[in-house]
Amino acid sequence: MLIDKRVSEFVEELGSNSPAPGGGSAAALVGSLGAALSLMVCNFTEGKPKFSSVQEEIVQIKEKGIVLKNRLLEYVDLDTDAFNEVMKAYKLPKETEAEKAHRSEKIQEATIQATLLPLKVAECCLEVLQLSIRVLTIGNPNTACDASVSGVTAYAGFQGAIFNVKINLGSIKDEEFLQSIRAKFTELQAEADKTYHLILDKAKEVIG
């Protein structure tokens, strides 16, 4: 599994001439790093008398952050798996009309799954963004830089995932599915952009 590799090994594989892992897996990994940094802020805030008024929310953020971090780590491999399924479908035989029809059906199925996976990554990264602005606001100010990096990292993961959603749409024939996906990522994009700018503004306020 990709997530079991050493960091240096993963980076080398990412930079190789292999088509996968690629941007989708990188986006999921980046999102998980953003979640981990929010968790770091929680750990420097939890149990500190100075921050007694926010303990309950910090514990809730930490619990949610753990779930998101682990889910995004799973998506690192699942994104590559989804891409490989698309490649497998394209390699199916296409000599007869029946084979062509079967191949086309499998390509559509695999491409839809390869679109839904990065959409899930984007949704998780948006949730991490929302955690980031909260820990930047209420967390230990000594970790304000880490909270800020959590936010910008989560946004990078989000945007990378959205790119991976969009790149597949030209290959999908199901118009109802396309309309649904476009509406969804437009909604997600607006919320992510808004939260990202809140993070930048807050970081400027507390860090300079």
Side-chain angles (χ1 to χ4, degrees):
M1 294 178 67
L2 293 170
I3 60 170
D4 292 331
K5 291 180 178 289
R6 296 177 58 172
V7 173
S8 59
E9 292 172 341
F10 180 83
V11 171
E12 286 301 317
E13 186 163 351
L14 198 62
S16 73
N17 62 0
S18 171
S25 291
L29 179 59
V30 166
S32 74
L33 295 176
L37 283 167
S38 278
L39 289 171
M40 175 186 176
V41 178
C42 289
N43 285 323
F44 276 95
T45 309
E46 186 180 12
K48 304 292 193 298
K50 187 177 179 181
F51 309 109
S52 58
S53 63
V54 298
Q55 288 302 300
E56 185 176 347
E57 185 176 359
I58 284 292
V59 169
Q60 291 171 351
I61 291 172
K62 184 176 177 180
E63 289 173 352
K64 191 170 185 179
I66 290 170
V67 172
L68 289 168
K69 173 182 66 68
N70 292 339
R71 190 174 294 160
L72 284 161
L73 282 174
E74 289 175 5
Y75 289 157
V76 172
D77 277 289
L78 290 177
D79 185 89
T80 292
D81 292 343
F83 175 83
N84 288 336
E85 286 301 312
V86 174
M87 293 298 97
K88 189 186 299 183
Y90 272 101
K91 291 176 182 177
L92 287 170
K94 51 181 178 176
E95 297 300 320
T96 67
E97 290 304 313
E99 286 177 343
K100 288 178 182 177
H102 176 70
R103 177 177 177 271
S104 179
E105 179 183 348
K106 290 301 180 184
I107 288 172
Q108 288 299 301
E109 290 176 0
T111 305
I112 285 173
Q113 291 306 310
T115 303
L116 290 173
L117 196 287
L119 189 65
K120 292 177 182 177
V121 172
E123 289 172 332
C124 286
C125 287
L126 174 55
E127 290 189 70
V128 175
L129 267 169
Q130 292 164 341
L131 297 187
S132 300
I133 186 60
R134 287 307 295 154
V135 297
L136 180 55
T137 302
I138 68 171
N140 189 328
N142 292 331
T143 57
C145 183
D146 306 291
S148 301
V149 175
S150 169
V152 296
T153 306
Y155 186 77
F158 171 86
Q159 200 61 68
I162 292 296
F163 290 152
N164 276 270
V165 171
K166 290 180 176 180
I167 196 67
N168 288 316
L169 299 185
S171 302
I172 296 173
K173 299 175 182 178
D174 186 335
E175 283 300 324
E176 186 176 342
F177 175 82
L178 289 172
Q179 289 179 11
S180 172
I181 291 296
R182 288 192 179 107
K184 183 64 177 176
F185 73 63
T186 299
E187 176 187 345
L188 292 172
Q189 185 76 62
E191 187 62 29
D193 289 346
K194 181 178 74 174
T195 309
Y196 177 59
H197 287 295
L198 287 174
I199 291 166
L200 292 182
D201 289 344
K202 189 66 177 178
K204 186 176 182 180
E205 176 189 329
V206 299
I207 299 173

